[in-house]
Amino acid sequence: MKHGILKRIVVCSLLAFAASACLSRIWAQDGGENQNHLSAQEWREDLHYLAEQMPLKHKQLFHTMSREEFNAAVEKLDADIPQLNDDQIFVRLAQILALVQDGHSGFDLRPIPPPDRKDRIPIRFDRYENGIYVRAAAPEYADAVGGKVIKIGSDDWEPAIQKVDSIDSHDAGNLGEQFAWGAKTTLNCPRLLHGLGLSSSGDAADFVIEKNGSQRTFHMKASAPMGPWFLNSIPSDWVDARPSTASVPLSRQHEDMPYWFTALPDQHTVYFQFNLILPIGNEGLDAFSKRLATALQAPEIDRLVIDLRNNTGGDNTLIRNLLVTLIRSKQNHRGGIYVLTGPATFSATQNFLNRLGNYADIVVIGAPTAENVNFFGDPVGILLPHSHLEAAVSTLWWQDEDPRDKRTATFPELAVADTFNDYVAGRDPVLELAMKTPTPLGIEDVLTTALPHGLQPAVAAYQQYVNDPVHKYLPDPENKVNSLGYQCSAPKKSTMPFSSSK
């Protein structure tokens, strides 16, 4: 019942600690050379143990890939091991785990290193629909901040990020985790880039960055330990692409708090940012829910905005009282509750969203979640005997929705994508839309209004609605129209009283 923490919230993760311990052997550094590395036979024994244990411990390992595909990948790595270095072997193991297509099964690629191991470049990359940008960096790489990544090593950024994506676990048909985390937590790790063939060294990497119309190659060295800055916050001594003079959107003011809210009486709204489903701090979720319930009862509050864009999961056993609070609130009506989602919305947060949507009339805004609506979770570890790497594999199937529901995410009713320019300018277009949009009309509403005016106006209204970018994730518009057609063509019941007279 606890999941998502193992993948993302490494500060609370035993798996991350175990992964860190194992990498201290594999990734030990002295003058740039691996020390105490494993022999080919030891790596093969680790591989065989992993291949043996994965089908035994996973709830349904072959739900997407076939056993033959799995065996072929294992056999290929077994044959290649003598020609590979440790970084390459680790990457190949991660790629085998990624074949499962289950966001909770894999290696945690973001371990917490001991304070004396500095295996990260002190830089923060963020990925957007149009590319990868440098959001912030330590002062030595200040000239790269605000630039766009053109090349990683000798690879253009698009094929390079495809290599990065190959080691990141994800649910079948859902690439949200790769979009949210690949650039942010892998591109600053030369060891992983080395294993992927994107760097010739495990200690440094080269990036071509475009800024102000010109391109420059940066040779960046690993000189920092992995810290919590890979999640949301940026160290105070770093250079940030958003200037200090820019406004800080409400959604970025307390990103490191697990949950918080503020009442905005002038906008008749309560904004509730839900970043983590864990009882961190002095106030548990139950006590928090009581405070939230009181705020929602205020007569001037008509709208609730719930921001799940940073929420990577936690413990889904903690959400009951919060759900009851939201379901019972006076805002539980069409146009009263808006939920913001994105590619980091994952794991127990998907449980929360599923259950809220089942009992509350919500409007989802933003980008698709990183989890299928029904999904595998609750991973357990497989500790490899020689490397001490610990893989995670899912042990439970979470089915909040109909078993025939094959949606690969919760798709927003209103699609909004932020950009790097929005970040620099201190804007949050997703939140802005949620705060000001009137109750959105569904396609059925649009057609019902247009049909009395004739077929052509109805067709034009339909085309305008589905072609609007804000409706890019509209599910099954043809089925909705079909259902509406049946309703309109059904014989209407007579309202006259029954009479046998002729």
Side-chain angles (χ1 to χ4, degrees):
M1 284 181 271
K2 293 181 179 180
H3 47 275
I5 313 167
L6 296 178
K7 282 285 293 178
R8 299 296 174 220
I9 311 302
V10 295
V11 293
C12 304
S13 173
L14 293 176
L15 176 59
F17 177 79
S20 173
C22 78
L23 293 179
S24 65
R25 180 178 180 189
I26 299 171
W27 287 359
Q29 296 182 51
D30 181 8
E33 296 296 329
N34 286 354
Q35 300 295 316
N36 199 25
H37 63 274
L38 303 186
S39 68
Q41 182 59 30
E42 287 175 316
W43 273 121
R44 280 174 162 159
E45 290 175 5
D46 275 9
L47 170 64
H48 297 161
Y49 184 75
L50 178 66
E52 172 192 279
Q53 292 296 310
M54 284 175 65
L56 297 177
K57 293 194 173 184
H58 195 283
K59 175 67 175 177
Q60 188 182 345
L61 187 68
F62 302 110
H63 67 279
T64 301
M65 69 173 172
S66 68
R67 186 179 292 271
E68 290 72 24
E69 290 172 326
F70 176 68
N71 289 341
V74 171
E75 291 169 5
K76 181 69 167 61
L77 176 54
D78 183 84
D80 291 346
I81 280 175
Q83 289 78 46
L84 303 177
N85 60 48
D86 288 343
D87 297 339
Q88 292 171 320
I89 295 170
F90 177 71
V91 161
R92 291 280 293 275
L93 288 170
Q95 289 170 336
I96 288 175
L97 281 155
L99 288 174
V100 181
Q101 295 193 50
D102 156 17
H104 289 89
S105 293
F107 287 121
D108 194 315
L109 303 177
R110 291 147 290 277
I112 304 172
D116 60 345
R117 184 176 339 111
K118 298 179 179 181
D119 58 1
R120 298 280 168 160
I121 300 168
I123 193 167
R124 166 70 178 269
F125 296 101
D126 276 352
R127 184 174 177 180
Y128 293 85
E129 289 186 352
N130 66 334
I132 298 168
Y133 293 82
V134 180
R135 170 178 163 182
E140 58 264 37
Y141 301 121
D143 289 347
V145 174
K148 183 177 182 180
V149 176
I150 303 300
K151 285 180 177 290
I152 303 165
S154 60
D155 287 31
D156 291 339
W157 78 268
E158 289 179 296
I161 203 65
Q162 289 177 4
K163 292 180 181 179
V164 170
D165 288 345
S166 74
I167 63 175
D168 215 336
S169 303
H170 62 92
D171 281 6
N174 188 320
L175 304 181
E177 282 207 274
Q178 296 173 331
F179 191 90
W181 297 102
K184 183 185 298 185
T185 58
T186 301
L187 292 187
N188 65 359
C189 183
R191 289 292 182 190
L192 293 176
L193 298 180
H194 184 219
L196 288 164
L198 295 172
S199 174
S200 60
S201 165
D203 305 316
D206 293 331
F207 300 87
V208 177
I209 308 291
E210 184 176 79
K211 184 176 177 181
N212 298 327
S214 61
Q215 296 183 6
R216 174 182 166 187
T217 299
F218 290 83
H219 182 70
M220 299 185 181
K221 296 182 179 180
S223 61
M226 176 59 117
W229 48 265
F230 83 85
L231 290 170
N232 294 307
S233 63
I234 298 296
S236 59
D237 61 337
W238 282 24
V239 178
D240 198 308
R242 184 179 62 214
S244 58
T245 55
S247 61
V248 180
L250 183 62
S251 56
R252 291 191 180 274
Q253 292 178 10
H254 304 290
E255 290 179 299
D256 293 326
M257 294 178 63
Y259 31 80
W260 65 279
F261 73 87
T262 185
L264 306 168
D266 291 344
Q267 296 168 281
H268 307 286
T269 298
V270 163
Y271 172 73
F272 163 31
Q273 189 171 66
F274 197 10
N275 293 328
L276 182 63
I277 309 177
L278 279 179
I280 294 178
N282 297 323
E283 185 181 40
L285 262 175
D286 290 350
F288 174 85
S289 299
K290 291 179 180 179
R291 281 202 303 116
L292 179 61
T294 300
L296 294 175
Q297 291 168 4
E300 68 272 18
I301 300 300
D302 300 324
R303 178 177 300 214
L304 169 63
V305 176
I306 306 172
D307 195 341
L308 302 178
R309 288 175 292 173
N310 296 332
N311 199 325
T312 60
D315 185 347
N316 63 17
T317 67
L318 302 176
I319 60 178
R320 181 182 183 278
N321 287 339
L322 176 59
L323 286 169
V324 170
T325 293
L326 300 173
I327 293 165
R328 288 179 172 175
S329 73
K330 67 175 182 177
Q331 289 77 23
N332 185 4
H333 59 82
R334 178 69 175 172
I337 301 178
Y338 294 83
V339 181
L340 314 186
T341 62
T345 308
F346 180 70
S347 194
T349 318
Q350 185 68 50
N351 294 129
F352 172 79
L353 181 58
N354 291 343
R355 297 168 195 180
L356 181 64
N358 286 338
Y359 298 102
D361 196 345
I362 63 176
V363 177
V364 180
I365 298 180
T369 61
E371 192 84 82
N372 293 3
V373 294
N374 296 320
F375 60 91
F376 292 97
D378 288 68
V380 297
I382 300 174
L383 185 63
L384 305 189
H386 298 296
S387 64
H388 302 153
L389 284 165
E390 187 168 7
V393 291
S394 294
T395 62
L396 291 180
W397 171 247
W398 286 96
Q399 188 169 293
D400 292 325
E401 303 294 344
D402 189 287
R404 294 162 295 188
D405 192 335
K406 305 300 182 184
R407 281 178 296 157
T408 57
T410 294
F411 294 96
E413 181 175 342
L414 302 178
V416 190
D418 56 358
T419 67
F420 184 67
N421 287 338
D422 290 327
Y423 174 79
V424 174
R427 296 189 300 263
D428 184 347
V430 182
L431 179 57
E432 289 170 9
L433 179 62
M435 297 287 281
K436 70 181 182 182
T437 186
T439 302
L441 295 176
I443 192 169
E444 300 95 335
D445 303 316
V446 171
L447 290 176
T448 300
T449 301
L451 277 170
H453 302 286
L455 181 60
Q456 289 304 318
V459 171
Y462 171 84
Q463 292 176 336
Q464 181 180 5
Y465 189 92
V466 298
N467 291 330
D468 188 336
V470 79
H471 299 136
K472 66 184 292 185
Y473 299 114
L474 180 68
D476 299 323
E478 292 183 6
N479 286 342
K480 291 179 180 292
V481 174
N482 193 43
S483 297
L484 180 62
Y486 279 116
Q487 294 174 24
C488 293
S489 61
K492 293 182 171 57
K493 295 181 179 180
S494 173
T495 59
M496 297 294 292
F498 175 76
S499 172
S500 60
S501 61
K502 296 182 181 179

